[in-house]
Amino acid sequence: MNFSKAVKILEAPGKIPGCSPCRNIDDCISDLRAQVAANKKGIDLTTDLIEQYGVAVVQAYMSHIQNNAEITVRKLLRDMTFKLNNSVMEATDFMDDGSAISLKVTIDQEAGSAVFDFTGTSCEVYANLNAPTAVTTAAVLYCIRCLIDDDIPLNQGCLKPIRITVPEGSLLNPSSNAAVVGGNVLTSQRIVDVILKCFKVCAASQGCMNNVSFGDTSFGYYETIAGGSGAGPNFPGCDGIQTHMTNTRITDPEILERRYPVVLIQFKIRKGSGGAGRFKGGDGLTREY
């Protein structure tokens, strides 16, 4: 596959005065090749299934999987109304700049459906913490799947009983000109915290992906640092763990120091940072370069 057009796009910012092009085009192209290869693998596996069982059977089972997920989520929502003795739950949390993320969940017990209404969330900001609606949808889907005990694959059927309302021009549904790069790595975590708070499942975790990025004109480095997970009604949080939207492995010190002009001085659990309580929150980490 020819990636020459992609290379031109990555180089284009360098033609703008005061701007820099991509610092490591080879890495970016490798990422794109990996994504293409992953999609090709999915196509090949699906084709194999169709050749073995036929289109009708494969499509039927795709529907069965989604229908089963829908039934499971409807049961979850009904059970939640009994567990919480309420069909309306509300929660609010805040970003570091004070922007509010507000959520009201209204469950129709008879139908086993729910409305996730983010009305009351702050308006979009000039910074880059705005999150496209796809991020909010993904956070809702993630939380719903976490609340389900049954072993079901993650799929669109989980969202069939759910309607998501996000006001236009808000932090979670910004205008087309708003900066959104931080929405996926920071705001998404706080959305998850608010949803889990709404269902009274657990306290907030570290609240962001703890991104670390550094570099110069020749290289760029990026990773997410783990933190403490929130405690629950009858369990403590975990120390130094990737939670929710991070779900990545941190770079090994040997790899970090071999590939980059960096020395890792210390990497340890930050004792006592998780907060006190009957069930303590998980402690965060210290990572010094």
Side-chain angles (χ1 to χ4, degrees):
M1 182 172 289
N2 190 345
F3 285 90
S4 58
K5 289 185 178 180
V7 171
K8 291 181 179 179
I9 292 173
L10 294 170
E11 292 175 338
K15 299 177 182 179
I16 302 173
C19 296
S20 301
C22 174
R23 287 173 292 190
N24 196 328
I25 291 179
D26 288 342
D27 280 359
C28 292
I29 296 301
S30 294
D31 286 344
L32 290 174
R33 290 184 185 278
Q35 292 180 46
V36 171
N39 287 328
K40 178 63 166 56
K41 183 65 174 179
I43 292 171
D44 291 343
L45 291 173
T46 303
T47 301
D48 290 343
L49 281 175
I50 292 173
E51 290 177 350
Q52 184 174 358
Y53 298 104
V55 174
V57 172
V58 171
Q59 289 182 336
Y61 274 90
M62 287 179 173
S63 296
H64 297 333
I65 289 172
Q66 291 193 34
N67 291 338
N68 179 62
E70 178 185 355
I71 292 170
T72 304
V73 171
R74 291 189 188 278
K75 180 180 182 300
L76 166 72
L77 294 172
R78 292 190 183 101
D79 290 345
M80 275 294 177
T81 62
F82 290 110
K83 180 180 179 180
L84 301 175
N85 195 29
N86 201 346
S87 60
V88 179
M89 292 82 76
E90 297 183 73
T92 298
D93 207 337
F94 301 87
M95 303 296 293
D96 286 351
D97 67 352
S99 296
I101 297 177
S102 296
L103 172 62
K104 179 179 180 181
V105 177
T106 304
I107 298 176
D108 184 330
Q109 186 178 13
E110 183 176 349
S113 61
V115 176
F116 283 64
D117 187 357
F118 288 88
T119 298
T121 295
S122 295
C123 61
E124 66 180 65
V125 296
Y126 285 111
N128 61 15
L129 297 178
N130 305 290
T133 53
V135 172
T136 300
T137 301
V140 171
L141 177 59
Y142 165 79
C143 290
I144 289 296
R145 181 61 189 86
C146 286
L147 294 173
I148 295 173
D149 290 331
D150 297 344
D151 185 14
I152 64 170
L154 190 66
N155 63 81
Q156 182 67 25
C158 294
L159 289 176
K160 286 184 179 180
I162 294 172
R163 179 163 60 89
I164 302 172
T165 301
V166 187
E168 291 187 8
S170 69
L171 184 72
L172 306 184
N173 188 6
S175 63
S176 59
N177 293 323
V180 297
V181 69
N184 187 48
V185 295
L186 295 174
T187 311
S188 60
Q189 286 280 80
R190 194 52 53 87
I191 298 171
V192 169
D193 285 339
V194 172
I195 296 171
L196 296 179
K197 180 180 180 180
C198 211
F199 285 100
K200 296 180 171 57
V201 176
C202 64
S205 296
Q206 67 260 37
C208 76
M209 290 193 183
N210 294 340
N211 302 277
V212 170
S213 181
F214 54 83
D216 56 22
T217 56
S218 63
F219 82 96
Y221 179 77
Y222 171 88
E223 66 182 358
T224 61
I225 310 299
S229 66
N234 54 8
F235 60 87
C238 294
D239 299 336
I241 188 172
Q242 298 282 4
T243 59
H244 306 319
M245 317 312 279
T246 53
N247 194 31
T248 56
R249 292 182 177 180
I250 202 163
T251 307
D252 292 331
E254 295 81 4
I255 300 298
L256 172 68
E257 295 180 350
R258 179 181 177 86
R259 295 183 179 178
Y260 298 92
V262 173
V263 173
L264 186 62
I265 298 173
Q266 61 173 330
F267 184 38
K268 64 181 182 180
I269 292 176
R270 188 165 167 253
K271 295 292 186 181
S273 60
R278 181 181 179 187
F279 297 103
K280 297 181 179 180
D283 288 337
L285 294 170
T286 296
R287 188 168 172 90
E288 182 181 356
Y289 304 89

